Amino acid sequence: TEAELAAIAREARSHGARVLVVTLSIAIQVYPDPRVAAAYARELGVADLFAPERRLAAAAARDGYPELNLAPLMATYAETHNAALHGFANTTLGWGHWNALGHRIGGELIAHRICAELNAPPGLLKNQTVERPGLATEGLNVAPRPPRQ
């Protein structure tokens, strides 16, 4: 996957285009109660559930393309607001596909990052943190939470 993403980025650059690699979340990564995610990580024998995101971020930094990993940002939102971003009232909140709020938060994070990328000269934004002033979700604190020990 890393080699393919690097090839896509090179191909885009060769045509004067930009690429932004965005990863989404799985339900357990953004479950509103972090104890549930921590218990699942312990069951798997891993320190936390964001290792794939860190690996992709490292590959993006190494290969020179921007990336946006939504899961850590959305996990912070879910925990801070005790909000389920996956699942539905007629199924199980917190599990399954993104719900309306998950789509809204994910969409706004992606939109703000794309706007930041488009307003920057080519090559300046390489995996730097993007400020998100005016994000439509009140009180959205999207700093990724550190791995739990």
Side-chain angles (χ1 to χ4, degrees), residues 5-149:
L5 290 172
I8 290 167
R10 281 192 306 275
E11 181 71 13
R13 279 192 299 271
S14 76
H15 294 284
R18 298 181 189 179
V19 65
L20 172 64
V21 174
V22 178
T23 62
L24 307 181
S25 63
I26 59 170
I28 192 66
Q29 289 177 307
V30 299
Y31 197 81
D33 183 348
R35 294 172 299 183
V36 173
Y40 185 69
R42 278 192 306 276
E43 191 176 306
L44 292 176
V46 297
D48 70 276
L49 300 174
F50 299 106
E53 284 77 10
R54 285 193 303 277
R55 182 176 172 181
L56 178 63
R62 178 190 66 233
D63 296 327
Y65 58 85
E67 51 80 26
L68 173 60
N69 290 316
L70 293 180
L73 303 173
M74 293 176 76
T76 298
Y77 180 90
E79 183 178 345
T80 302
H81 295 87
N82 192 32
L85 304 178
H86 288 251
F88 305 90
N90 66 343
T91 60
T92 304
L93 278 175
W95 302 104
H97 296 284
W98 276 1
N99 57 29
L101 181 59
H103 279 278
R104 182 175 139 215
I105 300 301
E108 288 184 10
L109 289 167
I110 293 167
H112 282 271
R113 179 61 185 270
I114 289 172
C115 288
E117 291 285 335
L118 292 176
N119 288 327
L124 279 186
L125 287 179
K126 288 191 176 161
N127 301 310
Q128 71 185 35
T129 302
V130 176
E131 295 298 319
R132 291 169 285 284
L135 192 61
T137 43
E138 279 186 57
L140 181 60
N141 176 359
V142 292
R145 65 181 181 211
R148 298 195 184 275
Q149 299 301 326

